[in-house]
Amino acid sequence: MSSQMVIFRTAVLVMLSMLVISCQTKEPPPVTDAEILQLSKQIHPRAIEQMVSLNGCMSLGGEIGDEANSVYLDWLKANSKPINASELYLAHTRQDWVQWQGGTFSLQDIKQYRDVVVRVQKQQNLANRGPDARYDICQASFEQANAFYDSYAEPRKLSALYEQVSSINAGALGAFELFKLLPKLPTPGKSFYQVTQSLAQTCPRAVELLTLNNSWPQETYASYCQNSGLALIECDWGKCSKQEPTDIQD
């Protein structure tokens, strides 16, 4: 083989190697707002589901309750940052804020939390299951908690999420605070029917009323029309006031 051919082949190989290296080291495209929103919507409802599921197991007490509490604390330590970030990112898309229990909450978030609680408690149905079934259900919940981070861990997207929320200050409270305030959903109080009737003319379909507090004479309800927040209703001895939602976006 001639020296010129050797030089030519060597040059081609070098160029191909450089091309491969260039392709391998090429910077990925920036994470888009749509991807951050999708990630937040992935993390947030599943976090509520995981909290409610572990809380159900904690309520059983005994060894399984102790294990559930330990798993919950570990899960919280590992995931509180991305959960808080996803809530904060979603917060700046909300326009239905109300004041309740000294904090600012989105009516949409309250409904989502309540819907998840109802669904998970119905699925677990721990009160009507035997010891073996309870054990299996809770062990599945523990496994999900341990694998929770891996289910959404995408470093680039998480980094972009953290960067985005660093400039957001919606001043809102979310799932963790709702978990403290509503570990169990109260039944409707004496003013439930009265409140429902008073809102009947504000919605073309039946108004949905969620009970947040039933400690007579105090009652609190969140109202919705076709899944959109209408108002927060607070009653004292049957006399009720309506707080319409406001927009507190940055």
Side-chain angles (χ1 to χ4, degrees):
M1 183 181 296
S2 67
S3 59
Q4 289 183 335
M5 181 62 70
V6 171
I7 293 173
F8 175 76
R9 289 185 62 181
T10 302
V12 170
L13 289 173
V14 169
M15 291 176 64
L16 288 173
S17 298
M18 292 178 64
L19 181 61
V20 170
I21 293 173
S22 175
C23 291
Q24 290 176 341
T25 59
K26 184 179 180 181
E27 286 292 327
V31 178
T32 65
D33 289 342
E35 288 177 304
I36 297 175
L37 179 61
Q38 181 182 20
L39 177 64
S40 299
K41 287 183 175 180
Q42 176 187 355
I43 296 173
H44 184 237
R46 292 187 59 214
I48 300 173
E49 181 176 335
Q50 190 66 68
M51 280 193 294
V52 176
S53 177
L54 290 173
N55 184 57
C57 295
M58 283 189 279
S59 69
L60 296 176
E63 291 184 6
I64 198 165
D66 291 341
E67 185 177 359
N69 184 65
S70 177
V71 171
Y72 174 74
L73 293 176
D74 289 341
W75 174 83
L76 196 63
K77 182 178 180 180
N79 297 280
S80 59
K81 181 178 179 180
I83 293 171
N84 283 326
S86 67
E87 286 194 328
L88 192 54
Y89 188 82
L90 291 173
H92 87 287
T93 70
R94 310 296 197 213
Q95 296 179 319
D96 59 348
W97 301 99
V98 292
Q99 299 296 315
W100 180 52
Q101 296 286 8
T104 303
F105 294 89
S106 159
L107 286 173
Q108 185 176 348
D109 283 345
I110 291 174
K111 187 177 189 305
Q112 183 183 51
Y113 176 83
R114 181 262 186 189
D115 289 348
V116 172
V117 171
V118 171
R119 175 169 54 81
V120 172
Q121 289 181 344
K122 184 177 180 180
Q123 289 174 344
Q124 286 188 316
N125 192 25
L126 294 173
N128 297 314
R129 297 187 188 273
D132 290 344
R134 290 180 177 181
Y135 177 85
D136 290 343
I137 290 170
C138 289
Q139 287 300 316
S141 179
F142 300 160
E143 291 174 5
Q144 290 171 356
N146 292 330
F148 189 85
Y149 182 83
D150 292 337
S151 69
Y152 65 79
E154 297 183 66
R156 287 179 56 252
K157 292 183 181 180
L158 283 172
S159 179
L161 171 62
Y162 297 151
E163 183 178 354
Q164 283 279 3
V165 300
S166 66
S167 60
I168 296 175
N169 184 26
L173 298 174
F176 290 130
E177 194 63 26
L178 286 170
F179 182 62
K180 297 176 186 176
L181 295 171
L182 292 170
K184 295 182 179 180
L185 299 175
T187 57
K190 295 181 180 180
S191 304
F192 185 88
Y193 179 76
Q194 167 193 329
V195 172
T196 302
Q197 290 300 107
S198 70
L199 295 171
Q201 300 302 315
T202 64
C203 183
R205 295 187 180 180
V207 171
E208 183 178 8
L209 212 60
L210 308 185
T211 307
L212 305 183
N213 177 44
N214 178 15
S215 303
W216 181 260
Q218 280 77 41
E219 302 166 70
T220 306
Y221 301 96
S223 58
Y224 300 84
C225 175
Q226 296 175 267
N227 291 321
S228 295
L230 278 178
L232 185 78
I233 314 296
E234 296 182 282
C235 304
D236 189 9
W237 294 100
K239 295 182 179 180
C240 304
S241 60
K242 181 172 67 174
Q243 180 189 160
E244 295 185 349
T246 58
D247 181 358
I248 61 167
Q249 292 188 74
D250 291 345

